[in-house]
Amino acid sequence: MPRLRTVVLVAGAALLARRAVRRRIEASPLWPMPALEKPTSGQGRRRVSSHRVLVTERTSPAEGVVQLRLEGQDLPPWEPGAHVDLVLPSGLVRQYSLCGDPAERDTYTVATRVIEDGRGGSLEVREQLHEGTEIEIRGPRNRFPLVQAASYVFVAGGIGITPILPMVRALHTAGVTGRRLVYCGRDRVTMPYLDEAEKLGAETTFGPPDLAFLAGLPAGTVVYCCGPQGLMDAVAATLPEGRELHLERFTAAATASGGAFEVELHRSGRTLTVPADRSLLAAVRDELPNVPYSCEQGFCGTCRQRVLEGGIDHRDHLLTDAERDDSMLICVSRCTSGRLVLDL
Protein backbone atom coordinates (compact mmCIF):
# COMPACT_ATOMS: atom_id res chain seq x y z
CA MET A 1 0.00 0.00 0.00
CA PRO A 2 2.76 2.58 0.81
CA ARG A 3 4.38 1.75 -2.54
CA LEU A 4 1.06 2.29 -4.36
CA ARG A 5 0.60 5.62 -2.56
CA THR A 6 4.10 6.71 -3.66
CA VAL A 7 3.40 5.76 -7.29
CA VAL A 8 0.15 7.73 -7.24
CA LEU A 9 1.83 10.79 -5.75
CA VAL A 10 4.69 10.69 -8.29
CA ALA A 11 2.27 10.24 -11.18
CA GLY A 12 0.14 13.13 -9.94
CA ALA A 13 3.18 15.39 -9.58
CA ALA A 14 4.31 14.51 -13.10
CA LEU A 15 0.86 15.31 -14.51
CA LEU A 16 0.79 18.68 -12.78
CA ALA A 17 4.30 19.45 -14.06
CA ARG A 18 3.31 18.59 -17.64
CA ARG A 19 0.24 20.80 -17.39
CA ALA A 20 2.32 23.68 -16.03
CA VAL A 21 4.85 23.35 -18.85
CA ARG A 22 2.07 23.22 -21.43
CA ARG A 23 0.50 26.39 -20.01
CA ARG A 24 3.85 28.16 -20.25
CA ILE A 25 4.35 26.97 -23.83
CA GLU A 26 0.88 28.06 -24.93
CA ALA A 27 1.42 31.49 -23.35
CA SER A 28 4.59 31.96 -25.38
CA PRO A 29 4.40 34.66 -28.10
CA LEU A 30 5.86 32.11 -30.52
CA TRP A 31 3.21 29.43 -29.95
CA PRO A 32 2.69 27.47 -32.14
CA MET A 33 6.44 27.40 -32.70
CA PRO A 34 7.64 28.21 -36.24
CA ALA A 35 9.60 24.94 -36.14
CA LEU A 36 6.35 23.00 -36.40
CA GLU A 37 5.13 21.57 -39.70
CA LYS A 38 2.94 24.59 -40.43
CA PRO A 39 4.66 27.71 -39.04
CA THR A 40 2.30 30.26 -37.62
CA SER A 41 3.51 33.62 -36.39
CA GLY A 42 1.70 36.49 -34.75
CA GLN A 43 1.29 38.70 -31.74
CA GLY A 44 1.96 37.40 -28.28
CA ARG A 45 -1.26 36.51 -26.50
CA ARG A 46 -0.19 38.44 -23.45
CA ARG A 47 0.18 41.70 -25.35
CA VAL A 48 -2.67 42.19 -27.83
CA SER A 49 -6.29 41.54 -26.89
CA SER A 50 -8.69 39.92 -29.33
CA HIS A 51 -12.46 40.50 -29.42
CA ARG A 52 -15.47 39.41 -31.45
CA VAL A 53 -17.56 42.33 -32.65
CA LEU A 54 -20.70 42.71 -34.72
CA VAL A 55 -21.12 45.13 -37.61
CA THR A 56 -24.29 46.93 -36.53
CA GLU A 57 -24.22 49.81 -38.98
CA ARG A 58 -22.60 50.46 -42.34
CA THR A 59 -22.68 53.92 -43.92
CA SER A 60 -20.79 55.99 -46.49
CA PRO A 61 -19.63 59.34 -45.05
CA ALA A 62 -18.11 60.29 -48.44
CA GLU A 63 -17.84 59.00 -51.97
CA GLY A 64 -15.76 55.81 -52.01
CA VAL A 65 -15.59 55.59 -48.19
CA VAL A 66 -17.10 52.81 -46.05
CA GLN A 67 -17.77 53.42 -42.35
CA LEU A 68 -18.46 50.54 -39.96
CA ARG A 69 -19.96 50.67 -36.49
CA LEU A 70 -18.65 47.70 -34.50
CA GLU A 71 -20.30 46.64 -31.26
CA GLY A 72 -19.03 44.21 -28.65
CA GLN A 73 -18.88 43.57 -24.93
CA ASP A 74 -16.14 44.86 -22.62
CA LEU A 75 -14.20 46.54 -25.43
CA PRO A 76 -10.93 48.10 -24.18
CA PRO A 77 -10.82 51.88 -23.76
CA TRP A 78 -8.93 53.90 -26.35
CA GLU A 79 -7.51 57.36 -26.85
CA PRO A 80 -7.37 59.58 -29.95
CA GLY A 81 -4.87 58.29 -32.51
CA ALA A 82 -5.47 54.60 -31.72
CA HIS A 83 -6.21 51.93 -34.32
CA VAL A 84 -7.54 48.38 -34.33
CA ASP A 85 -6.64 45.39 -36.48
CA LEU A 86 -9.58 43.95 -38.40
CA VAL A 87 -9.23 40.24 -39.16
CA LEU A 88 -11.14 40.04 -42.43
CA PRO A 89 -13.07 36.93 -43.51
CA SER A 90 -10.26 35.89 -45.87
CA GLY A 91 -7.70 36.03 -43.03
CA LEU A 92 -6.16 39.32 -44.15
CA VAL A 93 -5.35 41.68 -41.28
CA ARG A 94 -5.74 45.41 -41.86
CA GLN A 95 -5.32 48.39 -39.54
CA TYR A 96 -7.97 51.12 -39.29
CA SER A 97 -7.97 54.22 -37.09
CA LEU A 98 -10.72 54.57 -34.53
CA CYS A 99 -12.69 57.68 -35.45
CA GLY A 100 -15.70 57.52 -33.14
CA ASP A 101 -16.22 58.65 -29.56
CA PRO A 102 -13.92 57.10 -26.90
CA ALA A 103 -16.74 57.52 -24.37
CA GLU A 104 -18.79 54.84 -26.18
CA ARG A 105 -17.29 51.85 -24.39
CA ASP A 106 -19.11 49.10 -26.31
CA THR A 107 -18.73 50.62 -29.76
CA TYR A 108 -15.85 51.23 -32.15
CA THR A 109 -16.15 53.19 -35.40
CA VAL A 110 -13.74 52.78 -38.31
CA ALA A 111 -13.72 54.00 -41.90
CA THR A 112 -11.73 53.13 -45.00
CA ARG A 113 -11.43 54.49 -48.50
CA VAL A 114 -11.95 51.72 -51.04
CA ILE A 115 -8.89 51.38 -53.28
CA GLU A 116 -9.81 49.45 -56.42
CA ASP A 117 -6.21 48.56 -57.29
CA GLY A 118 -4.93 48.28 -53.72
CA ARG A 119 -3.83 45.23 -51.73
CA GLY A 120 -7.37 43.90 -51.29
CA GLY A 121 -8.27 44.90 -47.74
CA SER A 122 -10.59 47.80 -48.52
CA LEU A 123 -12.28 45.84 -51.32
CA GLU A 124 -13.01 43.02 -48.89
CA VAL A 125 -14.44 45.49 -46.38
CA ARG A 126 -16.79 46.78 -49.08
CA GLU A 127 -17.79 43.39 -50.43
CA GLN A 128 -17.85 41.23 -47.28
CA LEU A 129 -18.58 43.34 -44.21
CA HIS A 130 -22.28 44.12 -43.95
CA GLU A 131 -24.67 44.72 -41.07
CA GLY A 132 -24.91 41.49 -39.08
CA THR A 133 -21.40 40.29 -39.96
CA GLU A 134 -19.32 39.13 -36.98
CA ILE A 135 -15.55 39.59 -37.17
CA GLU A 136 -12.49 39.47 -34.95
CA ILE A 137 -10.58 42.60 -34.01
CA ARG A 138 -7.28 43.01 -32.19
CA GLY A 139 -6.14 45.94 -30.12
CA PRO A 140 -6.55 48.83 -29.86
CA ARG A 141 -2.98 50.09 -30.13
CA ASN A 142 -1.76 53.68 -30.35
CA ARG A 143 1.32 54.62 -32.33
CA PHE A 144 -0.02 58.14 -32.96
CA PRO A 145 -0.87 59.50 -29.51
CA LEU A 146 -1.90 63.07 -28.77
CA VAL A 147 0.90 64.59 -26.68
CA GLN A 148 0.74 67.63 -24.44
CA ALA A 149 1.91 70.78 -26.21
CA ALA A 150 1.69 74.56 -26.16
CA SER A 151 -0.17 74.55 -29.48
CA TYR A 152 -1.10 72.15 -32.27
CA VAL A 153 -1.28 72.01 -36.06
CA PHE A 154 -3.13 69.16 -37.78
CA VAL A 155 -2.85 68.48 -41.50
CA ALA A 156 -5.16 65.82 -42.91
CA GLY A 157 -5.59 64.58 -46.44
CA GLY A 158 -8.75 62.68 -47.42
CA ILE A 159 -9.24 59.54 -45.32
CA GLY A 160 -6.31 60.78 -43.20
CA ILE A 161 -8.87 62.73 -41.20
CA THR A 162 -9.89 59.56 -39.33
CA PRO A 163 -7.15 59.49 -36.64
CA ILE A 164 -7.00 63.28 -36.43
CA LEU A 165 -10.68 64.08 -35.94
CA PRO A 166 -10.89 62.48 -32.45
CA MET A 167 -7.83 64.55 -31.44
CA VAL A 168 -9.41 67.82 -32.54
CA ARG A 169 -12.68 66.85 -30.83
CA ALA A 170 -10.82 66.16 -27.58
CA LEU A 171 -8.98 69.48 -27.68
CA HIS A 172 -12.22 71.32 -28.49
CA THR A 173 -13.99 69.66 -25.56
CA ALA A 174 -11.08 70.57 -23.28
CA GLY A 175 -11.27 74.21 -24.40
CA VAL A 176 -7.83 74.25 -26.04
CA THR A 177 -7.77 77.18 -28.47
CA GLY A 178 -4.18 76.83 -29.66
CA ARG A 179 -5.01 74.46 -32.52
CA ARG A 180 -5.24 74.67 -36.30
CA LEU A 181 -6.68 72.05 -38.63
CA VAL A 182 -5.96 72.02 -42.37
CA TYR A 183 -8.08 69.47 -44.22
CA CYS A 184 -7.48 68.90 -47.94
CA GLY A 185 -9.01 66.65 -50.54
CA ARG A 186 -9.98 66.35 -54.18
CA ASP A 187 -13.47 67.82 -53.67
CA ARG A 188 -16.18 67.97 -51.02
CA VAL A 189 -17.93 64.73 -51.93
CA THR A 190 -14.78 62.67 -51.41
CA MET A 191 -13.86 64.15 -47.99
CA PRO A 192 -15.36 62.20 -45.06
CA TYR A 193 -16.55 64.06 -41.95
CA LEU A 194 -16.05 67.40 -43.69
CA ASP A 195 -19.07 69.08 -42.09
CA GLU A 196 -17.93 68.17 -38.57
CA ALA A 197 -14.35 69.20 -39.33
CA GLU A 198 -15.49 72.61 -40.52
CA LYS A 199 -17.62 73.07 -37.38
CA LEU A 200 -14.42 72.43 -35.43
CA GLY A 201 -12.70 75.22 -37.39
CA ALA A 202 -11.02 73.30 -40.21
CA GLU A 203 -9.50 75.24 -43.08
CA THR A 204 -10.72 73.34 -46.13
CA THR A 205 -8.68 73.19 -49.33
CA PHE A 206 -9.23 71.31 -52.57
CA GLY A 207 -5.99 70.10 -54.03
CA PRO A 208 -2.54 70.61 -52.44
CA PRO A 209 -2.72 72.95 -49.43
CA ASP A 210 -0.56 76.02 -48.91
CA LEU A 211 1.85 74.89 -46.19
CA ALA A 212 4.01 78.02 -46.11
CA PHE A 213 2.67 78.90 -42.65
CA LEU A 214 4.52 75.87 -41.22
CA ALA A 215 7.85 77.64 -41.70
CA GLY A 216 6.88 80.28 -39.14
CA LEU A 217 5.45 78.09 -36.39
CA PRO A 218 6.45 79.15 -32.87
CA ALA A 219 8.50 76.87 -30.69
CA GLY A 220 6.41 74.38 -28.74
CA THR A 221 3.97 73.72 -31.57
CA VAL A 222 3.44 70.04 -32.34
CA VAL A 223 2.41 69.04 -35.86
CA TYR A 224 0.32 65.99 -36.75
CA CYS A 225 -0.15 64.81 -40.32
CA CYS A 226 -1.98 61.89 -41.89
CA GLY A 227 -2.74 61.43 -45.56
CA PRO A 228 -1.07 60.58 -48.87
CA GLN A 229 2.70 60.15 -48.87
CA GLY A 230 3.18 63.30 -50.96
CA LEU A 231 1.34 65.40 -48.39
CA MET A 232 3.41 64.00 -45.51
CA ASP A 233 6.63 64.58 -47.46
CA ALA A 234 5.61 68.20 -48.12
CA VAL A 235 4.82 68.83 -44.45
CA ALA A 236 8.15 67.33 -43.36
CA ALA A 237 10.06 69.38 -45.94
CA THR A 238 8.38 72.68 -44.96
CA LEU A 239 8.57 72.31 -41.19
CA PRO A 240 11.57 74.05 -39.58
CA GLU A 241 14.24 71.82 -38.10
CA GLY A 242 13.61 70.95 -34.48
CA ARG A 243 9.82 71.12 -34.64
CA GLU A 244 8.01 68.02 -33.37
CA LEU A 245 6.26 66.11 -36.17
CA HIS A 246 4.00 63.05 -35.85
CA LEU A 247 3.05 61.08 -38.97
CA GLU A 248 0.49 58.31 -39.44
CA ARG A 249 0.78 56.20 -42.60
CA PHE A 250 -1.96 54.06 -44.13
CA THR A 251 0.43 52.41 -46.57
CA ALA A 252 3.94 51.08 -46.15
CA ALA A 253 6.73 53.61 -46.39
CA ALA A 254 9.33 53.10 -49.07
CA THR A 255 11.88 50.48 -48.07
CA ALA A 256 14.99 52.14 -46.70
CA SER A 257 18.28 51.19 -48.28
CA GLY A 258 20.29 48.58 -46.48
CA GLY A 259 22.07 46.57 -49.11
CA ALA A 260 21.65 43.01 -50.27
CA PHE A 261 22.17 40.13 -47.86
CA GLU A 262 22.08 36.35 -47.77
CA VAL A 263 19.51 34.28 -45.91
CA GLU A 264 19.60 30.57 -45.13
CA LEU A 265 16.30 28.78 -44.66
CA HIS A 266 17.51 26.24 -42.12
CA ARG A 267 14.80 23.56 -42.22
CA SER A 268 14.28 23.88 -45.97
CA GLY A 269 17.99 23.60 -46.73
CA ARG A 270 17.93 26.57 -49.11
CA THR A 271 20.06 29.70 -49.34
CA LEU A 272 19.02 32.80 -51.23
CA THR A 273 20.02 36.41 -51.77
CA VAL A 274 17.74 39.31 -50.82
CA PRO A 275 18.39 42.28 -53.15
CA ALA A 276 18.49 45.80 -51.74
CA ASP A 277 15.22 46.69 -53.48
CA ARG A 278 13.18 43.68 -52.31
CA SER A 279 11.77 42.70 -48.93
CA LEU A 280 12.92 39.58 -47.12
CA LEU A 281 9.31 38.36 -47.23
CA ALA A 282 9.15 38.65 -51.03
CA ALA A 283 12.42 36.77 -51.46
CA VAL A 284 11.40 34.01 -49.06
CA ARG A 285 8.01 33.58 -50.73
CA ASP A 286 9.78 32.93 -54.04
CA GLU A 287 11.07 29.74 -52.41
CA LEU A 288 8.28 29.05 -49.90
CA PRO A 289 4.99 30.46 -51.28
CA ASN A 290 2.97 29.30 -48.26
CA VAL A 291 4.83 31.44 -45.70
CA PRO A 292 2.07 33.43 -43.92
CA TYR A 293 1.85 37.21 -44.16
CA SER A 294 -0.80 39.92 -44.14
CA CYS A 295 -0.22 43.66 -43.60
CA GLU A 296 3.30 43.92 -45.14
CA GLN A 297 3.88 46.99 -42.95
CA GLY A 298 5.27 45.54 -39.73
CA PHE A 299 2.04 45.99 -37.76
CA CYS A 300 0.16 42.69 -37.53
CA GLY A 301 2.88 40.10 -36.79
CA THR A 302 1.59 37.42 -39.16
CA CYS A 303 4.97 37.01 -40.89
CA ARG A 304 7.01 36.72 -37.69
CA GLN A 305 9.82 34.15 -37.89
CA ARG A 306 12.50 32.87 -35.53
CA VAL A 307 16.09 33.91 -36.24
CA LEU A 308 18.83 31.36 -35.50
CA GLU A 309 21.83 33.45 -36.56
CA GLY A 310 22.64 36.93 -37.80
CA GLY A 311 22.10 40.57 -36.92
CA ILE A 312 18.59 41.98 -37.34
CA ASP A 313 17.65 45.45 -38.55
CA HIS A 314 14.22 45.71 -36.89
CA ARG A 315 11.80 48.04 -38.69
CA ASP A 316 8.50 46.83 -37.28
CA HIS A 317 5.99 48.54 -34.97
CA LEU A 318 5.07 45.50 -32.90
CA LEU A 319 7.76 43.38 -31.25
CA THR A 320 9.02 44.01 -27.75
CA ASP A 321 12.74 44.33 -27.01
CA ALA A 322 12.82 40.80 -25.60
CA GLU A 323 11.10 39.34 -28.65
CA ARG A 324 13.53 41.09 -30.97
CA ASP A 325 16.40 39.07 -29.53
CA ASP A 326 15.52 36.00 -31.62
CA SER A 327 12.66 36.84 -33.97
CA MET A 328 11.73 39.33 -36.68
CA LEU A 329 8.91 40.44 -38.96
CA ILE A 330 10.24 39.54 -42.37
CA CYS A 331 7.88 41.87 -44.25
CA VAL A 332 9.84 44.99 -43.24
CA SER A 333 12.94 44.06 -41.24
CA ARG A 334 16.31 43.30 -42.78
CA CYS A 335 19.83 42.17 -41.88
CA THR A 336 22.78 44.08 -40.40
CA SER A 337 25.39 41.31 -40.60
CA GLY A 338 25.23 40.30 -44.25
CA ARG A 339 23.75 36.88 -43.47
CA LEU A 340 20.69 35.57 -41.62
CA VAL A 341 19.60 32.04 -40.73
CA LEU A 342 15.84 31.63 -40.32
CA ASP A 343 14.08 28.63 -38.80
CA LEU A 344 12.16 27.95 -41.99
Side-chain angles (χ1 to χ4, degrees):
M1 185 67 68
R3 185 169 182 272
L4 177 60
R5 185 181 295 110
T6 301
V7 171
V8 170
L9 289 174
V10 171
L15 178 60
L16 291 175
R18 284 196 299 270
R19 288 178 176 173
V21 170
R22 181 170 182 79
R23 283 195 297 269
R24 291 182 62 189
I25 290 173
E26 291 180 347
S28 167
L30 284 179
W31 173 260
M33 293 294 287
L36 297 178
E37 182 180 353
K38 295 183 178 179
T40 302
S41 302
Q43 298 100 331
R45 297 182 182 182
R46 296 165 296 176
R47 195 174 65 259
V48 180
S49 58
S50 176
H51 302 269
R52 302 296 298 182
V53 295
L54 187 69
V55 179
T56 58
E57 183 180 71
R58 170 177 158 146
T59 55
S60 180
E63 184 179 286
V65 175
V66 175
Q67 175 184 285
L68 302 176
R69 181 181 177 91
L70 309 172
E71 295 188 11
Q73 295 183 345
D74 300 320
L75 297 180
W78 62 280
E79 295 181 348
H83 73 270
V84 291
D85 301 341
L86 266 61
V87 183
L88 301 177
S90 68
L92 285 176
V93 180
R94 293 293 184 263
Q95 292 73 39
Y96 297 107
S97 296
L98 291 168
C99 55
D101 183 356
E104 296 182 359
R105 293 298 305 275
D106 293 326
T107 301
Y108 289 162
T109 301
V110 297
T112 180
R113 182 173 299 284
V114 178
I115 308 298
E116 299 292 343
D117 58 349
R119 296 179 300 125
S122 63
L123 287 174
E124 188 169 351
V125 169
R126 183 183 69 185
E127 301 300 328
Q128 300 293 328
L129 301 189
H130 302 280
E131 293 178 4
T133 303
E134 186 180 64
I135 60 170
E136 177 189 353
I137 62 170
R138 298 171 185 164
R141 293 190 294 266
N142 200 341
R143 298 176 292 101
F144 195 52
L146 182 63
V147 300
Q148 187 172 358
S151 58
Y152 301 86
V153 169
F154 301 93
V155 182
I159 196 65
I161 191 67
T162 52
I164 284 177
L165 192 57
M167 297 182 181
V168 179
R169 285 194 203 115
L171 294 175
H172 174 75
T173 301
V176 176
T177 57
R179 54 184 171 84
R180 182 175 183 177
L181 170 59
V182 177
Y183 184 18
C184 60
R186 188 170 68 247
D187 49 49
R188 293 190 69 89
V189 298
T190 62
M191 298 170 67
Y193 313 117
L194 181 57
D195 290 344
E196 182 182 358
E198 288 181 334
K199 289 178 181 178
L200 291 170
E203 302 168 21
T204 305
T205 63
F206 306 116
D210 182 0
L211 300 174
F213 74 94
L214 293 176
L217 289 181
T221 300
V222 174
V223 179
Y224 285 82
C225 180
C226 183
Q229 187 63 45
L231 176 64
M232 293 191 291
D233 289 344
V235 169
T238 309
L239 200 63
E241 185 176 353
R243 295 295 186 269
E244 186 174 341
L245 174 62
H246 298 262
L247 300 174
E248 176 80 323
R249 292 182 170 88
F250 288 136
T251 58
T255 301
S257 61
F261 59 95
E262 184 179 88
V263 59
E264 176 187 337
L265 308 180
H266 179 68
R267 286 185 286 119
S268 303
R270 308 181 195 185
T271 300
L272 52 95
T273 298
V274 181
D277 61 349
R278 294 195 77 199
S279 70
L280 174 54
L281 171 65
V284 168
R285 283 180 57 81
D286 285 346
E287 298 291 328
L288 303 175
N290 293 326
V291 168
Y293 72 101
S294 184
C295 76
E296 299 182 78
Q297 300 181 59
F299 297 150
C300 74
T302 305
C303 69
R304 180 177 173 180
Q305 298 297 335
R306 188 167 58 159
V307 179
L308 303 180
E309 295 180 27
I312 310 169
D313 178 9
H314 290 287
R315 303 181 182 185
D316 66 89
H317 304 272
L318 181 69
L319 299 182
T320 65
D321 290 341
E323 291 165 344
R324 291 183 176 191
D325 288 342
D326 61 359
S327 63
M328 67 188 296
L329 302 191
I330 63 174
C331 66
V332 292
S333 297
R334 299 184 71 83
C335 175
T336 60
S337 58
R339 183 175 183 274
L340 280 175
V341 179
L342 298 181
D343 189 21
L344 272 173

